[in-house]
Amino acid sequence: MSVDRFEAPPRSQFNGASDSVPDIVLPDLHNSRILSLDSGGRILDWMSWQDAVCLYVRGAVSWTLGEPCLIVHGGMSREL
């Protein structure tokens, strides 16, 4: 699997602080956790992004909130 890189906002948005703005921002995948909720919105637990991807692909996600924070490409299907 590969993960897309995220681009930082344009340097012009930082009022001249161009030296401190990175060109590319990578998510910290080892410490990234996603909050899982039940269908009523009650907190269940924190899960890894890999577990969240598996649930999303299987159609086990009832709803999402916010913008995507990670784009994942690749993988293999057992049904080849």
Side-chain angles (χ1 to χ4, degrees), residues 7-9 11 18-25:
E7 294 184 21
R11 292 180 188 272
S18 62
D19 293 337
S20 63
V21 180
D23 290 332
I24 298 174
V25 178

Side-chain angles (χ1 to χ4, degrees), residues 56-69:
Y56 190 82
V57 168
R58 292 179 183 153
V61 175
S62 299
W63 50 275
T64 61
L65 180 64
E67 296 295 317
C69 60

Side-chain angles (χ1 to χ4, degrees), residues 11-31:
R11 292 180 188 272
S12 60
Q13 292 183 3
F14 291 95
N15 298 329
S18 62
D19 293 337
S20 63
V21 180
D23 290 332
I24 298 174
V25 178
L26 295 174
D28 182 9
L29 295 179
H30 298 293
N31 294 322

Side-chain angles (χ1 to χ4, degrees), residues 12-58:
S12 60
Q13 292 183 3
F14 291 95
N15 298 329
S18 62
D19 293 337
S20 63
V21 180
D23 290 332
I24 298 174
V25 178
L26 295 174
D28 182 9
L29 295 179
H30 298 293
N31 294 322
S32 296
R33 293 286 185 216
I34 297 175
L35 185 61
S36 63
L37 309 172
D38 66 9
S39 59
R42 292 184 305 229
I43 296 173
L44 295 176
D45 200 1
W46 292 94
M47 68 172 60
S48 69
W49 66 269
Q50 294 97 330
D51 291 337
V53 167
C54 289
L55 290 173
Y56 190 82
V57 168
R58 292 179 183 153

